[in-house]
């Protein structure tokens, strides 16, 4: 049986590795380099270039060259190169063919089989297209492995020695920052299983964006407009920007020089300055990190190790930034751009020996929130939404919450089931209801526990248990898979516009409420709960004196501003509880009073 090679078929660069002498080794290409740019170019006489040469031709012959075609795997897209039409898998096949030939030369024997890695978020079509590309390149592809799993494998095993897992269990956060994409994954490793718990990312954030920002800064400092440059000048400056960016990996400061005929301009650039000009990019980096950590919290998993993967993780400022935010635990940042390939090489070795590592991927998440209506003392006709299963929960999923009776001698409790993100249940989708009898008692003395179980097939099971008697009832509901339309937000805005008939004082209150409702729809988890509670408190203040209302309005406004900041930075509501607690910077007497009054109300009234 011939050798099996492992291939990291990247958007920007591709690499091959092989299991040799008990370790995973990278295979050099015809230039003696490990990275082959995933670029294909076709000459006038029909010769095909793959890699470094093709990358150069991206500037000189853009109409005969294609890059980043991995983005289109599995979708109906055609690339035209020199008048000929190519499918993305055909272009990928040309890259694979080049890697295969380089491997055969290096190994001195034919290569017929490969294991190829793909992003965890690739769907069946994209995976199928990757296998097809292999077949077109004359490679048998029996196994596809997920990129974060490959990185985790490489990280657990170093570059190899004895492969086969079975070491201690651990959870790893894989931060893969490449040329045009950022993929963040939370990976759980136990026995011979690598399970991807959660994935998030930004499909349009990568090293290219740093190049762009450096290029624009260069133009700004030299009184030019990047936008007005010719295509050739643009790519020239971008290339030079990429070069200084890489130079800053080795030294703290450098000079970017661009010469073109008589034209010669320069700019000093340091890592410190790069951080300043690229701040908006840094902020974006943490969005997916927060999202996967958030999912991890739900699964009670905290990463014990962070692995930096992808060429852009070579940047010292990126490493520093991540280190700053993820202070706890171990961080691995060795050869980030080779990590995935080394892992796939390792996997190829495992396959050669007929051993097993299971690469599991949970792709099923609940795209909307499932909850129940909560009695609203301010307006009994409009219940508010109490989330039980939050959107983006990994499925199958089970969650429960307890609710107390709201009336004296209440005989029954009604549990309504809703789907959606809005604060009032009547703006969400009604799915069904359950009635259960409870022993008569004073309000708050009886309670029911409501449990939602939701699975991949859209089946929601609701169990309601009366805590004092143990009586249980169940209902099964089938939900639609439609996501709640985004235009709900426009409705709020329209509503706001009609409010100028209100007296100014009330208008301000309405604004607070509308703002709160929007934040409620945006946030998740603890933060969302807190927004809901504060909003309920504010609403029930309406018959109080103006001074008191104003005091609380200012207080809640400060809170909302804080929430806005959290959401803007992280877009997801994964926040430390203490971040919620200590949100007001300036403790005026008023705000302290307001907070105390709220706490008293909360302790006395809130019942879930
Ligand atoms: P992909 O996974 O998208 O194929 P890679 O992991 O190979 O991509 O990352 C490519 C990106 O890494 C490019 O934007 C490149 O400029 C960047 N990069 C490579 N080496 C360095 C370096 N030394 N310093 C900064 N950026 C680098
Ligand atoms: Mg990659």
């Amino acid at each position: 049986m011939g050798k099996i090679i492992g291939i990291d078929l990247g958007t920007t660069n591709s690499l091959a590795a092989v299991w040799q002498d008990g370790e995973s080794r990278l295979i050099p290409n015809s230039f003696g380099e490990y990275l082959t740019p995933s670029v294909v170019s076709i000459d006038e006489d029909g010769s095909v270039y793959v890699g470094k040469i093709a990358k150069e031709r991206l500037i000189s012959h853009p109409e005969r060259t294609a890059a980043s075609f991995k983005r289109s795997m599995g979708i109906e897209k055609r690339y035209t190169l020199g008048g000929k039409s190519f499918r993305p898998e055909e272009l990928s096949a040309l890259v694979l063919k080049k890697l295969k030939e380089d491997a055969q030369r290096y190994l001195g024997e034919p290569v017929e089989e490969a294991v190829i890695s793909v992003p965890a978020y690739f769907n069946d079509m994209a995976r199928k297209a990757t296998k097809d590309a292999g077949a077109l390149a004359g490679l048998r592809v029996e196994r596809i492995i997920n990129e974060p799993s490959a990185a985790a494998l490489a990280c657990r095993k170093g570059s190899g020695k004895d492969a086969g897992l079975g070491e201690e269990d651990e959870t790893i956060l894989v931060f893969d920052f490449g040329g045009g994409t950022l993929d963040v994954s939370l990976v759980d490793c136990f026995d011979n299983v690598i399970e991807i718990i959660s994935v998030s990312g930004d499909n349009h954030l990568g090293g290219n964006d740093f190049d762009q920002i450096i290029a624009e800064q260069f133009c700004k400092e030299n009184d030019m407009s990047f936008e007005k440059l010719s295509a050739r000048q643009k790519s020239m400056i971008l290339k030079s920007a990429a070069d200084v960016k890489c130079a800053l990996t080795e030294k703290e400061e450098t000079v970017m020089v661009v010469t073109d005929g008589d034209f010669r301009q320069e700019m000093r650039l340091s890592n410190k300055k790069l951080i300043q000009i690229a701040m908006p990019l840094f902020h974006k980096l943490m969005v997916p990190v927060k999202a996967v950590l958030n999912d991890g919290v739900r699964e009670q998993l905290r990463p014990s190790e962070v692995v930096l993967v992808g060429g852009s993780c070579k940047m010292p400022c990126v490493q520093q930034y991540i280190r700053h935010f993820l202070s706890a635990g171990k961080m691995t940042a060795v050869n980030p751009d080779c990590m995935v390939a080394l892992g796939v090489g390792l996997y190829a070795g495992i396959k050669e020996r007929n051993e097993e590592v299971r690469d599991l991927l949970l792709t099923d998440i609940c795209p909307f929130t499932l909850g129940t209506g909560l009695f609203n003392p301010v307006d009994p006709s409009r219940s508010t939404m109490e989330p039980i299963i939050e959107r983006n929960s990994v499925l199958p999923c089970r969650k429960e919450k307890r609710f107390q009776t709201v009336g004296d001698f209440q005989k029954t409790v009604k549990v309504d089931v809703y789907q959606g993100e809005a604060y009032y249940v009547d703006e969400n989708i009604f799915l069904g209801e359950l009635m259960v009898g409870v022993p008569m008692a004073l309000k708050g003395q009886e309670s029911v526990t409501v449990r939602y179980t939701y699975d991949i097939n859209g089946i929601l099971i609701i169990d309601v248990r009366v805590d004092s008697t143990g009586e249980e009832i169940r209902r099964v509901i089938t939900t639609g898979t439609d996501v709640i339309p985004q235009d709900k937000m426009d409705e709020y805005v329209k509503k706001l516009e009609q409010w100028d008939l209100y007296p100014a004082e009330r208008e301000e209150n309405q604004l607070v409420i509308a703002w709160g409702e929007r934040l409620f729809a945006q946030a998740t988890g603890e933060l969302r709960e807190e927004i809901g509670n504060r909003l309920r408190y504010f609403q029930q203040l309406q018959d109080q004196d103006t001074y008191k209302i104003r005091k609380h309005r200012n207080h809640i406004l400060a809170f909302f501003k804080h929430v806005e900041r959290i959401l803007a930075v992280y877009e997801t509501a994964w926040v430390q509880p203490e971040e919620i607690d200590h949100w007001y910077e300036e403790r005026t007497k008023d705000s302290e009073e307001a907070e105390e009054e709220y706490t008293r109300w909360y302790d006395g009234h809130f019942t879930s």
Side-chain angles (χ1 to χ4, degrees):
M1 194 183 75
K3 272 275 171 208
I4 306 177
I5 58 169
I7 294 176
D8 166 11
L9 186 59
T11 312
T12 320
N13 296 300
S14 296
L15 299 88
V18 66
W19 184 258
Q20 246 182 359
D21 304 327
E23 62 178 17
S24 178
R25 282 193 191 150
L26 297 173
I27 299 175
N29 61 22
S30 40
F31 295 102
E33 293 165 350
Y34 295 133
L35 270 68
T36 300
S38 308
V39 186
V40 174
S41 185
I42 302 216
D43 210 349
E44 280 74 5
D45 63 11
S47 321
V48 176
Y49 301 101
V50 172
K52 210 171 166 179
I53 302 173
K55 190 175 170 186
E56 290 298 331
R57 287 171 57 90
L58 208 48
I59 301 175
S60 57
H61 298 82
E63 73 294 343
R64 298 191 151 269
T65 313
S68 300
F69 34 83
K70 180 178 174 179
R71 287 184 189 284
S72 318
M73 290 294 268
I75 60 172
E76 282 300 317
K77 169 151 180 175
R78 295 285 186 280
Y79 291 81
T80 310
L81 277 75
K84 286 204 192 76
S85 167
F86 290 86
R87 302 161 63 90
E89 51 268 54
E90 290 174 311
L91 295 170
S92 297
L94 292 170
V95 175
L96 291 173
K97 202 164 163 230
K98 173 83 169 78
L99 296 171
K100 177 189 165 180
E101 279 167 15
D102 285 338
Q104 292 183 152
R105 187 174 32 244
Y106 172 77
L107 296 169
E109 59 178 300
V111 173
E112 279 152 12
E113 183 173 353
V115 175
I116 304 179
S117 60
V118 298
Y121 60 80
F122 256 27
N123 62 19
D124 284 347
M125 299 298 283
R127 285 166 198 261
K128 168 99 180 21
T130 306
K131 284 191 170 181
D132 291 350
L136 290 171
L139 286 167
R140 195 165 64 247
V141 184
E142 288 177 1
R143 295 280 168 84
I144 294 274
I145 181 173
N146 293 298
E147 286 166 10
S149 307
L153 201 56
C155 154
R156 264 164 88 75
K157 283 292 165 189
S159 62
K161 303 295 167 254
D162 65 313
L165 284 170
E167 295 203 332
E168 70 211 67
D169 302 354
E170 68 181 325
T171 305
I172 301 176
L173 186 131
V174 180
F175 184 90
D176 185 348
F177 195 23
T181 52
L182 168 64
D183 299 319
V184 184
S185 329
L186 196 62
V187 182
D188 196 26
C189 307
F190 54 97
D191 301 331
N192 277 354
V193 177
I194 301 178
E195 182 172 12
I196 299 177
I197 300 298
S198 160
V199 293
S200 185
D202 190 329
N203 242 327
H204 292 278
L205 181 64
N208 299 341
D209 297 285
F210 281 89
D211 304 346
Q212 182 73 29
I213 278 194
I214 295 171
E216 282 169 11
Q217 180 72 17
F218 178 87
C219 291
K220 199 166 125 197
E221 290 187 18
N222 289 294
D223 294 322
M224 302 183 289
S225 157
F226 184 81
E227 289 313 315
K228 291 193 186 136
L229 298 177
S230 70
R232 192 184 60 87
Q233 287 168 321
K234 274 186 191 166
S235 39
M236 200 173 61
I237 293 183
L238 280 172
K239 168 128 192 357
S240 167
D243 291 345
V244 290
K245 177 187 74 176
C246 293
L248 285 177
T249 309
E250 308 296 330
K251 36 186 171 175
E252 200 37 55
E253 194 175 344
T254 184
V255 182
M256 169 170 169
V257 184
V258 176
T259 16
D260 186 19
D262 289 342
F263 168 93
R264 185 181 192 281
Q265 303 278 22
E266 53 178 69
M267 172 180 80
R268 297 194 81 78
L269 191 64
S270 64
N271 275 311
K272 209 168 148 197
K273 181 170 163 191
L274 183 56
I275 292 179
Q276 282 162 1
I277 62 173
M279 213 54 211
L281 300 183
F282 283 106
H283 285 315
K284 283 175 153 186
L285 287 183
M286 292 321 286
V287 176
V289 173
K290 291 282 172 184
V292 301
L293 285 177
N294 193 11
D295 287 343
V297 169
R298 205 150 36 213
E299 301 285 315
Q300 303 198 327
L301 288 173
R302 279 213 151 269
S304 51
E305 180 161 1
V306 176
V307 191
L308 301 186
V309 178
S312 298
C313 278
K314 287 185 167 178
M315 296 172 73
C317 49
V318 168
Q319 293 192 13
Q320 268 163 26
Y321 192 78
I322 308 287
R323 223 178 276 272
H324 174 73
F325 269 93
L326 301 169
S327 45
K330 201 172 129 200
M331 180 166 291
T332 307
V334 209
N335 289 333
D337 48 357
C338 304
M339 219 45 185
V340 170
L342 286 171
V344 197
L346 226 148
Y347 192 75
I350 290 171
K351 183 158 192 293
E352 273 177 2
R353 293 194 309 273
N354 277 322
E355 288 171 14
E356 227 0 301
V357 168
R358 276 203 300 152
D359 177 18
L360 293 184
L361 180 66
L362 292 173
T363 43
D364 296 288
I365 56 150
C366 179
F368 39 67
T369 297
L370 293 165
T372 183
L374 203 63
F375 176 73
N376 178 5
V378 183
D379 181 356
S381 72
R382 294 193 86 189
S383 297
T384 56
M385 177 83 167
E386 179 69 13
I388 295 183
I389 292 182
E390 297 266 13
R391 65 169 180 272
N392 292 337
S393 296
V394 176
L395 301 179
C397 166
R398 168 173 292 170
K399 286 281 149 68
E400 61 178 42
K401 271 192 183 172
R402 174 184 289 186
F403 299 93
Q404 293 173 344
T405 49
V406 290
D408 289 338
F409 310 116
Q410 180 176 341
K411 283 189 211 147
T412 54
V413 170
K414 187 165 77 132
V415 178
D416 302 323
V417 185
Y418 290 92
Q419 161 190 330
E421 311 306 321
Y423 177 64
Y424 289 112
V425 291
D426 56 18
E427 293 172 359
N428 290 326
I429 297 170
F430 175 73
L431 296 177
E433 63 178 26
L434 285 82
M435 292 283 256
V436 59
V438 288
M440 288 205 285
L442 289 175
K443 75 171 173 195
Q445 287 189 347
E446 281 295 321
S447 65
V448 295
T449 299
V450 177
R451 185 165 70 196
Y452 282 20
T453 310
Y454 191 60
D455 79 356
I456 298 151
N457 307 313
I459 294 175
L460 175 64
I461 302 166
I462 299 130
D463 291 303
V464 180
R465 189 182 64 237
V466 181
D467 295 317
S468 62
T469 63
E471 188 196 336
E472 275 199 47
I473 58 162
R474 161 175 286 196
R475 257 205 75 185
V476 179
I477 295 173
T478 319
T479 64
T481 42
D482 291 348
V483 182
I484 303 303
Q486 201 51 49
D487 51 11
K488 275 268 150 66
M489 226 50 93
D490 301 342
E491 268 177 46
Y492 288 145
V493 176
K494 275 208 202 89
K495 249 196 266 170
L496 265 177
E497 282 165 355
Q498 294 161 4
W499 279 344
D500 30 39
L501 298 175
Y502 282 153
E505 188 71 14
R506 277 187 60 193
E507 201 178 270
E508 283 183 42
N509 294 344
Q510 293 300 336
L511 194 67
V512 166
I513 290 163
W515 192 6
E517 286 180 20
R518 194 217 347 124
L519 292 175
F520 183 89
Q522 256 179 292
T524 55
E526 259 174 271
L527 185 62
R528 181 185 226 182
E529 219 166 276
E530 187 69 12
I531 297 165
N533 293 342
R534 286 187 185 267
L535 196 53
R536 267 188 281 278
Y537 175 63
F538 183 72
Q539 283 177 305
Q540 56 88 47
L541 284 177
Q542 57 190 344
D543 45 0
Q544 305 273 338
D545 64 83
T546 341
Y547 164 72
K548 186 162 179 186
I549 291 184
R550 197 172 304 154
K551 177 173 77 184
H552 282 280
R553 193 170 57 220
N554 289 338
H555 192 58
I556 199 171
L557 281 174
F559 175 69
F560 286 170
K561 267 189 209 141
H562 171 76
V563 172
E564 213 54 281
R565 241 191 353 254
I566 293 173
L567 293 176
V569 178
Y570 303 130
E571 266 177 35
T572 157
W574 188 81
V575 270
Q576 301 280 11
E578 59 269 25
E579 281 180 68
I580 299 181
D581 288 349
H582 302 292
W583 50 272
Y584 44 99
E585 287 105 312
E586 280 181 23
R587 293 181 184 227
T588 59
K589 190 169 153 289
D590 272 2
S591 74
E592 272 191 21
E593 247 178 53
E595 187 63 20
E596 271 169 27
E597 282 166 13
Y598 164 73
T599 314
R600 234 176 291 135
W601 171 85
Y602 178 89
D603 292 342
H605 286 78
F606 196 62
T607 55
S608 94

